[in-house]
Amino acid sequence: MIPEKSEVKYPAAPIAATSPERLAVAARLRGLEPCPPERARVLELGCGGGGNLLPLAASWPACSCVGIDVDGSAIDEATQLARDLDLPNARFHQVDLRDARSVLGDERFDYVVAHGVYSWVSEPVRQSLLELCGAVLAEHGVLYLSHASYPGFHVQQVLRDMLRFHVAAPAGSLAAVQQARELIAALVAEPPAALVAPELLGRELLGLRDASDVRLTYDDLAETEGFWLEDVVKHAAEHGLAFLGDARSAAYADLLSARRFGRTLLCRAERRPAAPEPSRLLGLRVACPPFAPLPPEDATTWQLPGEGGAVVSVREPKLRAALVRLRAAWPQSLAVDELAGTVGNGAPNLSLLAALLQASEAGVVRLVLSGPACASGVSERPTASRYARACARLGRPIASQYHEQVPLPPPHRELLQLLDGERDQAQLRAELPARSGEEVSSMLQDLAHNALLIA
Amino acid sequence: MKELLGRAPAGRYAQRYADPARLWVQARLHGHEPPPLESARVLELGCGDGAHLLGIAARQPSMQVVGLDPRPAAIAEGKQLAERAGIANLRLEVAEPSALADLGPAFDYVLCEGVYSRASVAERPQLLACIAGALSERGLACLDYDVRPLSRLHELVADVLGRSLAHHGVERTPEAARRELARLLEASEGARGLELLRSELEWWRQRDDVWLRAELEAPRQGVLFDDLVRSLEPTGLSYVCEASYHAGSVEDLPEAAAALVGREASPLRREQYVDFFSGRRQRRSLLSRAAARQGAVNLDGLCCVSWLRAKGGELVAPGGSTFRIDDRLQAAVVLAACASWPEAPSVAELVQRAAAGTPGVELDDWQRAILRAHARDWLELRPAPPGCVGVPGKRPRISALARVEALSGRPLTNVVHTAIQLGGGVAGALASWLDGEHDRGALRARLLAEGYPPAQCTQAAIEQVLGALARRGLLLEEEAS
């Protein structure tokens, strides 16, 4: 279980895969009619300091966000920030999951997010979790449930066993992290022959070496129960829920994928979701950051790294041109219909739609419903959201308009705080005397690139 | 669920590391006073067809050996083999579920192979309690089990395979498993980073049907050594040592690991780290209710035998691989043991022979070298000389048990309780006739009479088979005629 009192604080960061916009797209692709995120009711179980909910509340005034967590200080922090930013549509409650109904009453939610809960709580809490989700999920709602996932979790457990034995310091302490790093260093220094397979050495051991204190504390050193996806789905079925899809990939029950972390989407059992259908991309929008990979110009087949070492082969000659257009438009999105809507006779280019779907599953492009209100470039009075500015000021993790966490160095944070839309570029330069004009311009470009500037 | 003692494959063979003679030596090396072998009472829980016990009983007729297994057919087969080999001190019994409660604390050596890892979490304490209850005061138990973390890779494949068969609604038969393994292997081909999974799948695919069936019916699950040691507490048992050092010891760890492990005061915690850094997946641990004596290791009365062969400065293992020993003293004792074979000199005698070429070394250093060589299995310390001959005599003889085994097409139990796979043909036929009555002419005549092709029945061919039997520790001293 995740330690309640920890010296390593869980960061209040956005979790891109849980964004209602992504969940809505996943549901749309499978033939459901999800609630538009901008006026949805969103519930997060285990919301911590509100880093995942507050950016939604800030972007969408008509969206109502409720977060619960047992950690009182995290809830206080979230509540305080909601008050400071004047976000009455974000409410936070300190309550045990098992008693959540006492604060939620009969409320229903269009999106329910339970990230890092299912595998990391005791069996009774796990039961309450799905019972609660079954009770509060709205008719067309989408539930996001993450869990440690077999078969990949077996491989992770090899190193978890070692850490569990070696680390004597109390869970959540910095000393525990220190002890873990000591063992990892000894293993990395001269990896035992049994660990040199890429799954163990490459993915797990070197992953541990580079892991943050947060990951070590809340993932590798925390008590964790692994589950097969099919068992999670069976468990959910007991509460009237059905498998909708994977938050990242459409592959279901791929026994060979060595994934160890499942991001499972569920809906009400009555909804009967279909397989993702490329034609359902029509009506959506798509975006592609310039830092995403681009297929080589002369290749007919593009090999994309999928999950768990799998390779996704995309055969679509028009995909490259589409991605080039998308990269140029970034951080704004383009309508899918505009990219692939018609080919001469007015029929949609289904093969390009299928390729875009694959590229989305491989994490190359982002499919969105309406797309965030990003500025197309750096305007005379560059503006960042009030929430992003507050996070920059408070040292909290920053969320992009795509609900992705953007790691920003201190000078960028300093600049971001000033982007209230009142100051023009000359004023910005004047307020940052330590930076040259060129530096400020380049930093503004970075912020635009990271989808932090709004129109 | 099948009865616990019947979950491991029933077809057994001699295991040198689970031989009371080996356990006796290991326990002595770790400060114990193990019960004498001559009068020992030996019990195997889950003995299958008893083939591991046959050689133990045959070698020491004054021992009383008992094997328990719930499978009547396996017990019947073992009984028949024992009878044919003239082994009177082995009692094989079909275990009733109540049998485990009624054993009484009467056994000096309790063996348990392949059972623990197939026991459920709830059954494990019961099994340990039963072993503890059956042990005499100074008795030794030998428990074989899979160890985590590395056994998890085995568990991964068992899990994937089991799920996969269920997913396709296929019965859990070896044939279906083999088809499914092939399918999974093919599906994993293009994927990067799945080398581990692929090599595990490939390894599984090469197992025989009996093995696969056991894995499918009762999948094995490992235990962390540290957790096993903790679970011994309520039983009064404590950990003594390993029956084999195989995968390594603290001394063999790489530098960074050795520095980390060296800080541990507890030998049991150090032992756990060895599993991490050596990648060990299996242990055969000696357990006892008695405490160890402190003090120097006493090697008096032990003798040394090596099955390596020295060839042009290199050593050749029985399997044919060659290697060198870097450590000067260890090389000297191993070479001296090789040169002495088939005689097994006492430790004192071996030191004398080794010191002849390497003078001026303290006795303690020689003893340390012998212990290290024993730990690496370059030579073996034994309670008594194995009593085999190196050169086939006029009327070569192998044990009655080995002759019966050869007749039944089973692996042959040699003088140090190792199963030797002969293959059939001339070698198998010859082995089954070597009762010390047949000379070369008689052997050749019999081969020809039984219709073996003359080209395989030449003097040279017969010599080659006899030489190989001698080399593998199967030929015994011949009766003086």
Side-chain angles (χ1 to χ4, degrees):
Chain A
M1 244 190 293
I2 291 171
E4 276 180 35
K5 291 272 170 277
S6 174
E7 286 173 30
V8 182
K9 221 174 137 231
Y10 199 82
I15 303 148
T18 72
S19 121
E21 182 126 40
R22 286 208 191 185
L23 305 186
V25 166
R28 275 270 302 257
L29 291 174
R30 290 163 178 83
L32 270 61
E33 292 156 30
C35 176
E38 60 273 19
R39 51 183 170 83
R41 296 159 296 177
V42 183
L43 170 66
E44 186 173 19
L45 307 171
C47 64
N52 200 29
L53 282 180
L54 286 167
L56 307 178
S59 299
W60 298 316
C63 166
S64 136
C65 298
V66 178
I68 69 164
D69 204 295
V70 280
D71 182 347
S73 64
I75 290 296
D76 289 347
E77 193 187 316
T79 307
Q80 186 61 46
L81 191 55
R83 200 175 301 142
D84 291 351
L85 293 174
D86 193 18
L87 296 173
N89 58 338
R91 287 171 293 146
F92 298 94
H93 304 282
Q94 191 239 317
V95 63
D96 188 292
L97 236 159
R98 283 165 289 194
D99 309 322
R101 294 301 291 278
S102 66
V103 297
L104 298 177
D106 291 331
E107 249 183 290
R108 293 286 177 279
F109 295 89
D110 304 301
Y111 299 97
V112 178
V113 172
H115 181 78
V117 185
Y118 192 79
S119 282
W120 297 269
V121 291
S122 64
E123 184 57 33
V125 178
R126 185 155 42 242
Q127 291 301 335
S128 312
L129 169 66
L130 279 192
E131 201 186 309
L132 177 68
C133 292
V136 301
L137 194 67
E139 208 184 325
H140 290 268
V142 179
L143 164 62
Y144 166 103
L145 186 76
S146 74
H147 56 91
S149 167
Y150 285 124
F153 188 60
H154 280 299
V155 179
Q156 195 195 9
Q157 274 183 308
V158 171
L159 293 166
R160 289 176 58 89
D161 282 348
M162 299 189 191
L163 291 173
R164 176 167 75 90
F165 172 77
H166 179 71
V167 173
S173 65
L174 282 168
V177 171
Q178 198 51 43
Q179 288 173 352
R181 293 205 186 282
E182 185 183 70
L183 177 68
I184 295 160
L187 287 165
V188 171
E190 219 171 315
L195 301 187
V196 295
E199 294 100 316
L200 270 165
L201 183 71
R203 199 151 54 179
E204 296 298 334
L205 189 52
L206 297 183
L208 276 181
R209 184 195 59 188
D210 303 331
S212 64
D213 288 4
V214 170
R215 190 197 125 171
L216 284 176
T217 303
Y218 291 89
D219 188 359
D220 302 290
L221 293 176
E223 263 180 52
T224 309
E225 194 82 42
F227 295 93
W228 280 85
L229 175 59
E230 56 181 304
D231 290 341
V232 174
V233 171
K234 263 185 216 151
H235 185 193
E238 292 168 19
H239 300 283
L241 300 168
F243 180 70
L244 174 63
D246 192 280
R248 283 184 297 194
S249 128
Y252 171 46
D254 178 6
L255 293 163
L256 277 175
S257 90
R259 83 172 55 179
R260 57 181 176 75
F261 191 69
R263 296 164 187 262
T264 300
L265 304 186
L266 299 143
C267 62
R268 301 221 65 88
E270 314 86 78
R271 295 274 73 82
R272 303 183 176 284
E277 176 68 55
S279 66
R280 297 206 187 97
L281 261 71
L282 294 171
L284 297 179
R285 299 181 69 82
V286 59
C288 179
F291 39 83
L294 194 64
E297 216 157 340
D298 47 354
T300 48
T301 304
W302 189 26
Q303 307 256 310
L304 276 171
E307 245 191 287
V311 176
V312 182
S313 292
V314 187
R315 289 168 194 276
E316 171 49 51
K318 294 214 167 83
L319 180 63
R320 191 188 146 89
L323 293 184
V324 170
R325 270 187 72 189
L326 284 168
R327 285 157 70 114
W330 178 264
Q332 292 183 322
S333 58
L334 297 179
V336 170
D337 301 51
E338 197 185 317
L339 272 177
T342 52
V343 276
N345 56 2
N349 181 346
L350 280 176
S351 116
L352 180 55
L353 290 176
L356 282 171
L357 184 57
Q358 279 183 302
S360 148
E361 281 162 3
V364 174
V365 300
R366 284 112 177 96
L367 291 171
V368 285
L369 287 182
S370 46
C374 290
S376 58
V378 182
S379 63
E380 183 46 33
R381 291 180 194 278
T383 312
S385 77
R386 216 173 141 208
Y387 179 72
R389 281 181 277 139
C391 289
R393 190 176 69 245
L394 297 169
R396 284 167 63 102
I398 311 279
S400 78
Q401 289 296 304
Y402 284 90
H403 204 64
E404 289 166 13
Q405 189 182 345
V406 182
L408 278 190
H412 287 71
R413 282 181 172 267
E414 204 184 339
L415 172 60
L416 185 60
Q417 291 173 42
L418 303 175
L419 304 183
D420 54 6
E422 306 284 323
R423 297 167 166 92
D424 63 18
Q425 292 204 21
Q427 266 171 297
L428 291 172
R429 277 191 289 273
E431 285 188 48
L432 294 169
R435 314 273 158 210
S436 71
E438 237 165 66
E439 274 177 304
V440 173
S441 301
S442 134
M443 284 197 290
L444 284 169
Q445 282 298 339
D446 292 343
L447 296 179
H449 240 98
N450 281 298
L452 283 166
L453 300 187
I454 54 176
Chain B
M1 187 176 272
K2 272 169 87 174
E3 219 219 304
L4 174 58
L5 297 186
R7 284 181 211 155
R12 303 288 302 279
Y13 49 86
Q15 285 276 5
R16 177 162 64 101
Y17 292 118
D19 174 3
R22 170 79 181 187
L23 311 184
W24 184 86
V25 170
Q26 292 301 94
R28 263 201 55 178
L29 296 181
H30 290 83
H32 278 250
E33 282 177 61
L37 291 165
E38 303 76 47
S39 56
R41 287 173 48 83
V42 178
L43 168 69
E44 184 173 14
L45 295 171
C47 67
D49 61 14
H52 170 60
L53 293 175
L54 291 165
I56 293 168
R59 201 157 16 95
Q60 197 74 257
S62 55
M63 263 185 188
Q64 291 181 58
V65 185
V66 178
L68 291 180
D69 198 280
R71 289 163 287 193
I75 291 293
E77 187 173 356
K79 277 184 169 167
Q80 202 204 4
L81 286 168
E83 198 183 327
R84 283 164 67 198
I87 299 168
N89 57 333
L90 171 63
R91 208 175 81 219
L92 296 175
E93 282 178 26
V94 177
E96 300 299 327
S98 63
L100 296 187
D102 307 337
L103 291 170
F107 291 93
D108 300 314
Y109 294 90
V110 176
L111 317 174
C112 190
E113 297 273 303
V115 177
Y116 186 89
S117 295
R118 293 183 171 92
S120 69
V121 172
E123 289 167 325
R124 290 176 176 192
Q126 294 164 25
L127 179 66
L128 293 177
C130 162
I131 291 172
L135 267 188
S136 66
E137 199 189 324
R138 286 192 289 138
L140 287 170
C142 177
L143 185 73
D144 154 83
Y145 54 100
D146 291 5
V147 281
R148 287 180 172 174
L150 267 301
S151 73
R152 289 197 184 267
L153 303 177
H154 176 89
E155 293 163 37
L156 183 155
V157 176
D159 198 5
V160 167
L161 181 62
R163 292 267 166 178
S164 195
L165 289 171
H167 192 79
H168 293 101
V170 184
E171 257 189 90
R172 296 164 81 92
T173 62
E175 305 74 54
R178 231 179 286 282
R179 273 198 304 275
E180 195 55 29
L181 287 164
R183 197 190 66 79
L184 289 167
L185 267 165
E186 198 182 330
S188 70
E189 261 321 305
R192 271 176 296 210
L194 292 184
E195 279 83 343
L196 184 75
L197 187 55
R198 270 196 294 276
S199 65
E200 287 286 315
L201 287 167
E202 186 55 52
W203 186 85
W204 272 67
R205 200 165 63 134
Q206 289 164 4
R207 299 305 100 189
D208 65 17
D209 282 3
V210 176
W211 190 93
L212 272 176
R213 191 177 293 280
E215 291 305 314
L216 292 169
E217 285 175 359
R220 293 187 339 231
Q221 200 160 66
V223 60
L224 202 66
F225 173 72
D226 185 56
D227 289 339
L228 179 96
V229 169
R230 282 172 209 272
S231 73
L232 292 177
E233 227 159 80
T235 67
L237 290 170
S238 54
Y239 175 77
V240 178
C241 63
E242 285 306 293
S244 69
Y245 304 97
H246 266 327
S249 56
V250 179
E251 287 89 341
D252 296 327
L253 294 183
E255 208 177 316
L260 186 93
V261 178
R263 296 203 315 251
E264 274 298 341
S266 149
L268 288 176
R269 282 189 62 86
R270 286 205 297 269
E271 190 68 26
Q272 175 62 80
Y273 282 106
V274 173
D275 287 2
F276 297 163
F277 290 103
S278 67
R280 172 149 52 193
R281 292 192 189 196
Q282 192 224 4
R283 279 179 175 267
R284 220 176 241 123
S285 296
L286 269 65
L287 312 173
S288 171
R289 295 195 293 159
R293 257 182 312 109
Q294 300 298 316
V297 175
N298 177 7
L299 300 182
D300 288 352
L302 296 177
C303 42
C304 309
V305 63
S306 175
W307 299 92
L308 304 175
R309 260 182 314 154
K311 195 176 174 189
E314 286 198 314
L315 288 153
V316 187
S321 58
T322 61
F323 62 99
R324 281 172 192 281
I325 297 177
D326 295 330
D327 182 274
R328 188 174 60 106
L329 298 190
Q330 289 174 36
V333 291
V334 172
L335 286 170
C338 292
S340 308
W341 189 88
E343 184 203 345
S346 69
V347 169
E349 182 63 37
L350 185 75
V351 167
Q352 221 170 52
R353 290 180 197 182
T358 315
V361 178
E362 295 288 327
L363 182 63
D364 277 1
D365 293 329
W366 282 120
Q367 294 209 347
R368 249 194 303 279
I370 290 175
L371 284 171
R372 292 298 303 144
H374 169 76
R376 297 193 147 108
D377 221 8
W378 292 336
L379 61 72
E380 194 192 9
L381 289 161
R382 303 220 25 116
C388 56
V389 300
V391 181
K394 266 200 175 125
R395 295 172 198 277
R397 183 171 76 95
I398 67 173
S399 73
L401 170 62
R403 290 202 301 277
V404 170
E405 288 167 333
L407 268 178
S408 329
R410 289 170 159 267
L412 274 53
T413 303
N414 78 358
V415 292
V416 288
H417 206 61
T418 301
I420 306 295
Q421 198 67 257
L422 274 193
V426 172
L430 281 176
S432 70
W433 302 330
L434 298 181
D435 55 3
E437 312 261 318
H438 293 65
D439 62 14
R440 305 285 196 286
L443 290 171
R444 179 154 189 267
R446 196 161 170 185
L447 279 175
L448 291 168
E450 303 244 337
Y452 286 94
Q456 290 175 26
C457 307
T458 61
Q459 211 60 40
I462 293 172
E463 276 324 313
Q464 199 186 353
V465 171
L466 294 176
L469 293 176
R471 198 54 242 171
R472 308 304 299 272
L474 279 159
L475 290 192
L476 308 179
E477 307 248 352
E478 288 162 37
E479 316 270 324
S481 53

